[in-house]
Amino acid sequence: MSSRVRLWVFLVGAAGFAALFAAACFDLPAFGTVPHPYGARAMHAALSHHTANVIASVNFDLRAFDTLGEETILFSAVIGTVVLLRQARDEHRKDPEPATIHPPVRRFALLTLPLALLVGLYVIAHGQISPGGGFQGGVVTATALHLLYIAADYRALERVRPLTLYEIGEAAGEAAYVITGFAAVLAGSAFLTNVLPFGTLATLSSGGTAMVLNAAVGLEVTSGIVVLLARFLDQAVEIEEPGEDDGNPRHTGGSGGSGGSGGNGDDER
Amino acid sequence: MTDVLIVVALLLVAGAATAAVLNRDPVRQALVLSFLGLALALLFTFLQAPDVALSQLAVGSAVTPLMILLTVRKVRRRPGSDDGVDKPAGRER
């Protein structure tokens, strides 16, 4: 196909898309209007199941099956990454040497670490009450752990992060979701139906299975992200190419950290 | 009031996204991407979607830029590709 023909094909396609997209946009309800048929129904369903956070109710009750799919996507993505980033036969590990860390950075990281961990766990536990839930809390918890990399060094992070345990945790989180679903079948309902007692609205033990599923997702996401970042960190910090020995063992702590705004610019050469 | 906040957040998002596209250095791009994540988190908060904002904050402004940085580091360290500044190493998730 010559570039001229290609341009025409693109133009025709773009014009068609623009026309359809514009037509669809004109049929949308106005931005931020009050009447919302789906919202009203979701709200009603959430309140009848004593789930104060309507989003959690939609994710873990009304559309629990969707969420199972989403959780499985993350699960398989992490497994895929682990397989892709495993240590190849011609690569070898080199112990990274500790780098000096500026005291203010260390203090800040050590101060933030417990706080961030607590926030993450809080968000997981209160998913059915307040904004957040297993996914959000899981990511916060996982990134919070990596503040130790900023505060101390890679070895310290590896010590608090027994990877096997997190790999098991990831699988257990995924399994717990499916098992909760089948428990509903055993109780005489459909897969993933909310069969547990609903509890009192806006208390920690409310929402029935929404609470359990939140915890399962929290476990899966925390472990999954930790495993994922561990593989990336391994590649960047420890695993060396064959024949590469530039006598320049790139840092351990002090940079390349996580959390916060991910701001570390000292990787530039 | 809310409208003003939404407009400001939208402008921030547009600015950060444009900067991310215009930057050619992957490391800078990752940093700008992290600012884009923050701006998007603000926008979602103003649009009353705190759940989404929380995800965006954690994934968009911490985990994704970090993974890009680590990938760039690994790729650049390879002998003979030190000048790979313009390589589109992991621009998107």
Side-chain angles (χ1 to χ4, degrees):
Chain A
M1 221 192 295
S2 74
S3 59
R4 207 183 153 81
V5 178
R6 243 184 314 199
L7 182 69
W8 274 107
V9 170
F10 166 72
L11 285 178
V12 170
F17 176 76
L20 289 176
F21 189 71
C25 282
F26 280 121
D27 259 1
L28 280 178
F31 183 76
T33 43
V34 180
H36 199 307
Y38 183 78
R41 287 180 175 84
M43 186 79 91
H44 180 75
L47 289 179
S48 72
H49 280 190
H50 291 237
T51 315
N53 178 11
V54 177
I55 312 289
S57 166
V58 171
N59 281 340
F60 295 109
D61 193 347
L62 296 177
R63 295 202 211 160
F65 194 60
D66 281 30
T67 308
L68 174 62
E70 286 159 11
E71 195 195 11
T72 311
I73 289 174
L74 181 70
F75 182 69
S76 8
V78 171
I79 290 182
T81 311
V82 168
V83 171
L84 276 177
L85 294 186
R86 69 195 186 280
Q87 190 175 3
R89 203 169 295 155
D90 54 349
E91 292 171 333
H92 56 94
R93 275 174 193 272
K94 197 160 120 191
D95 277 358
E97 282 170 25
T100 44
I101 304 155
H102 297 296
V105 173
R106 178 190 288 268
R107 269 200 297 277
F108 177 73
L110 283 180
L111 204 77
T112 331
L113 173 65
L115 205 69
L117 265 183
L118 193 67
V119 169
L121 295 176
Y122 177 94
V123 170
I124 296 178
H126 291 71
Q128 70 281 13
I129 303 173
S130 56
F135 180 78
Q136 290 89 338
V139 181
V140 173
T141 314
T143 37
L145 272 180
H146 289 80
L147 280 168
L148 199 61
Y149 177 48
I150 297 179
D153 69 357
Y154 196 57
R155 293 269 155 255
L157 177 66
E158 280 186 327
R159 270 200 292 278
V160 296
R161 190 197 63 185
L163 264 191
T164 325
L165 217 63
Y166 283 96
E167 278 163 2
I168 295 172
E170 202 205 353
E174 174 79 15
Y177 201 106
V178 180
I179 290 170
T180 312
F182 277 117
V185 176
L186 287 183
S189 271
F191 186 59
L192 280 170
T193 316
N194 197 339
V195 286
L196 287 178
F198 295 138
T200 320
L201 184 71
T203 56
L204 207 53
S205 60
S206 62
T209 47
M211 181 188 63
V212 181
L213 295 180
N214 243 326
V217 170
L219 180 63
E220 204 264 286
V221 172
T222 308
S223 314
I225 302 283
V226 167
V227 171
L228 188 71
L229 287 181
R231 294 299 161 172
F232 272 91
L233 278 169
D234 266 0
Q235 284 286 335
V237 177
E238 276 200 292
I239 296 181
E240 303 272 333
E241 303 280 322
E244 180 194 357
D245 198 8
D246 52 359
N248 185 15
R250 311 308 281 270
H251 73 142
T252 49
S255 88
S258 70
S261 61
N264 62 323
D266 68 345
D267 264 352
E268 264 181 283
R269 307 187 129 196
Chain B
M1 183 57 190
T2 326
D3 284 348
V4 176
L5 288 178
I6 291 176
V7 168
V8 169
L10 273 174
L11 288 176
L12 271 178
V13 168
T18 312
V21 173
L22 293 181
N23 251 312
R24 300 305 301 161
D25 175 25
V27 174
R28 292 228 176 89
Q29 243 174 4
L31 282 177
V32 178
L33 204 64
S34 144
F35 281 113
L36 175 61
L38 279 177
L40 277 172
L42 273 182
L43 178 65
F44 293 146
T45 311
F46 296 149
L47 288 174
Q48 298 181 29
D51 282 78
V52 190
L54 206 52
S55 307
Q56 180 61 36
L57 197 65
V59 175
S61 63
V63 176
T64 311
L66 173 64
M67 292 204 305
I68 294 176
L69 281 177
L70 292 173
T71 310
V72 168
R73 213 179 112 81
K74 176 72 178 180
V75 171
R76 278 197 186 166
R77 208 163 51 168
R78 209 159 275 166
S81 62
D82 273 7
D83 52 344
V85 173
D86 277 339
K87 276 192 188 131
R91 194 175 297 165
E92 271 303 321
R93 264 185 284 164

